[in-house]
Amino acid sequence: NAGVTQTPKFRVLKTGQSMTLLCAQDMNHEYMYWYRQDPGMGLRLIHYSVGEGTTAKGEVPDGYNVSRLKKQNFLLGLESAAPSQTSVYFCASSYFRDSDEQYFGPGTRLTVT
Amino acid sequence: GNSVTQMEGPVTLSEEAFLTINCTYTATGYPSLFWYVQYPGEGLQLLLKATKADDKGSNKGFEATYRKETTSFHLEKGSVQVSDSAVYFCALSLGNAGNMLTFGGGTRLMVKP
């Protein structure tokens, strides 16, 4: 099992450019999540999905869109990148049972100049 | 709303010292509580959890007890090692749809030989 994988690992964008981050999991998890991690602020939830074809907003959704067309994949899109979106992005997945742990990917470091 | 507060770091200890990282929470309901650990350059991984009051989670020599009366979940280890150097995150989940986690800001631990 590869667990949760993220593509790419690093990316530098110019302001206004767009990109898509890909998350894939091979554990047949129902739930998937996108977080951003900024110094001193812990992880903040951007969007999440409770199943194939469903998405919902988290704490900081503005400027991001997501899609879950296949159960194993969860895509995070930035349509027009801004310097405030410079961050480390983590994808996670979990089963649907209460208190189940979330399994995290290795992260994508994004810099917007 | 729900929130998690952790002691600010960094915490610097010598090898074999006793570790305590404080965590308190505010939640509407009865949360499950977690400690996640992030080693340098990696994603988060679950360290331990507790799902109800007075439960003690333990793993790899780390322990934390769910204290409802003080709304706390402090992380302890009797003798730290250099390999414990990492960032530690306290988190809660209310087990609602999506099993979403609310994270504290993280505490960096540095252990010197």
Side-chain angles (χ1 to χ4, degrees):
Chain A
N1 281 355
V4 179
T5 58
Q6 293 183 231
T7 309
K9 288 186 168 52
F10 303 94
R11 186 71 185 269
V12 178
L13 288 180
K14 295 185 187 304
T15 298
Q17 288 185 320
S18 63
M19 78 164 294
T20 300
L21 282 67
L22 171 63
C23 176
Q25 53 94 4
D26 61 3
M27 296 173 282
N28 202 34
H29 285 165
E30 289 294 329
Y31 295 167
M32 296 188 75
Y33 315 83
W34 275 108
Y35 295 91
R36 59 178 290 170
Q37 182 181 30
D38 301 295
M41 301 187 73
L43 276 74
R44 293 181 293 168
L45 183 66
I46 304 171
H47 286 280
Y48 66 100
S49 168
V50 299
E52 182 178 316
T54 72
T55 63
K57 294 180 180 179
E59 180 185 356
V60 289
D62 293 344
Y64 305 95
N65 57 76
V66 288
S67 64
R68 182 116 181 255
L69 298 180
K70 294 183 178 181
K71 185 177 183 179
Q72 64 268 33
N73 295 337
F74 195 30
L75 278 63
L76 178 71
L78 287 73
E79 289 188 348
S80 180
S84 61
Q85 293 177 306
T86 294
S87 188
V88 181
Y89 292 86
F90 287 99
C91 176
S93 68
S94 77
Y95 290 109
F96 61 87
R97 293 183 298 267
D98 286 353
S99 79
D100 276 336
E101 71 175 283
Q102 292 186 13
Y103 293 79
F104 284 80
T108 295
R109 184 173 294 276
L110 174 66
T111 302
V112 183
T113 62
Chain B
N2 304 318
S3 66
V4 176
T5 303
Q6 292 180 232
M7 59 189 293
E8 289 193 18
V11 174
T12 303
L13 295 173
S14 297
E15 207 165 22
E16 298 185 1
F18 184 85
L19 168 71
T20 300
I21 300 177
N22 290 338
C23 170
T24 57
Y25 68 89
T26 301
T28 54
Y30 301 97
S32 295
L33 300 173
F34 305 81
W35 278 101
Y36 280 81
V37 59
Q38 183 180 30
Y39 297 104
E42 299 182 9
L44 281 70
Q45 53 187 274
L46 180 67
L47 181 59
L48 53 85
K49 71 178 184 183
T51 58
K52 61 183 186 296
D54 299 325
D55 268 2
K56 178 185 283 188
S58 61
N59 186 24
K60 299 181 181 178
F62 291 88
E63 293 182 340
T65 301
Y66 189 144
R67 301 287 187 200
K68 183 181 174 184
E69 62 276 12
T70 54
T71 62
S72 65
F73 193 54
H74 303 322
L75 182 68
E76 296 182 336
K77 187 176 186 183
S79 177
V80 293
Q81 305 299 313
V82 172
S83 58
D84 293 327
S85 298
V87 181
Y88 293 81
F89 292 93
C90 186
L92 68 82
S93 170
L94 284 170
N96 45 14
N99 271 346
M100 288 175 285
L101 289 170
T102 299
F103 285 92
T107 302
R108 181 175 299 278
L109 170 66
M110 296 190 298
V111 181
K112 296 183 176 180

